[in-house]
Amino acid sequence: IDRYFIARLGIEQSAGASLSSTVIWVLMTVSALITGGCVALVARRTGENNKEERSKSAEQSLFLALSFGVIIAVTGFYFSPAIMRFYNAESAVEALGVDYLSILILGYPMVMIAHTAASVFQASGDTRTPMKIFISMSIMNIMLDPIMIFGLGPVPAMGVKGAALATLISELIACSLIVIIIYSH
């Protein structure tokens, strides 16, 4: 979604955001490791009808996701200029990549928590709840991106930073919603 709207800003903006996105996609493997383990543990406890151990496994997985997410967010935020320099891109592209990555990486704990919580639902047999939440998150990002990238009403045009901020807000709301739902069950 971000790339679609960022492409309307120009080639340098698209290149900077694309470089940042490669970093995020590499980091998604960490999330996949945690969610894979979570699915295995929670599904096993669900199959055993052991609700107490299922809840314990889910909570431990969420704590692990939060812990790794915070470490990655803090480290990624601090090192985002060095990470972008690694690509040896033009200085304008590098600066735009830092703008995008340094904001987007702050949402990584929420991404980790949301994906882990989704795996708890899925391992418990509920695939619809996380799907609805992630579809809502995507729709929210579709609505926020043009507002925050190009500016609308009182919201100033923020360019690449606006795209990252729109994604961050969408992730925060989705993460909050999925955590509220998981703890209300």
Side-chain angles (χ1 to χ4, degrees):
I1 294 168
D2 284 356
R3 286 189 198 152
Y4 174 81
F5 290 107
I6 291 171
R8 275 115 187 96
L9 294 173
I11 292 173
E12 289 177 339
Q13 291 85 349
S14 293
S18 292
L19 288 178
S20 298
S21 295
T22 60
V23 174
I24 296 298
W25 282 110
V26 168
L27 292 173
M28 292 304 280
T29 58
V30 176
S31 178
L33 292 171
I34 293 171
T35 58
C38 178
V39 166
L41 292 171
V42 173
R44 180 175 179 180
R45 300 305 178 217
T46 300
E48 294 170 348
N49 201 24
N50 188 339
K51 293 179 182 180
E52 184 178 321
E53 286 298 315
R54 180 181 66 191
S55 294
K56 187 176 176 181
S57 295
E59 286 180 6
Q60 289 173 345
S61 296
L62 288 167
F63 179 75
L64 185 63
L66 175 63
S67 300
F68 273 97
V70 168
I71 290 167
I72 289 169
V74 170
T75 305
F77 180 81
Y78 181 75
F79 286 108
S80 60
I83 293 167
M84 289 296 102
R85 276 194 302 276
F86 171 78
Y87 289 109
N88 199 25
E90 295 175 13
S91 61
V93 171
E94 183 180 305
L96 290 162
V98 170
D99 286 347
Y100 189 71
L101 180 61
S102 62
I103 295 170
L104 201 60
I105 197 79
L106 292 176
Y108 204 71
M110 294 173 284
V111 169
M112 298 272 294
I113 290 169
H115 286 182
T116 303
S119 70
V120 169
F121 278 106
Q122 292 162 348
S124 301
D126 180 359
T127 57
R128 290 183 179 167
T129 299
M131 179 187 67
K132 289 175 186 176
I133 291 170
F134 288 132
I135 287 172
S136 299
M137 181 183 89
S138 296
I139 292 169
M140 187 178 322
N141 199 26
I142 288 169
M143 294 185 322
L144 288 175
D145 261 352
I147 294 168
M148 300 185 89
I149 293 171
F150 307 113
L152 183 64
V155 178
M158 293 181 262
V160 172
K161 289 180 181 180
L165 193 55
T167 301
L168 186 71
I169 292 167
S170 299
E171 290 170 347
L172 174 64
I173 292 170
C175 178
S176 300
L177 185 58
I178 202 164
V179 168
I180 288 167
I181 292 170
I182 205 167
Y183 279 103
S184 67
H185 275 78

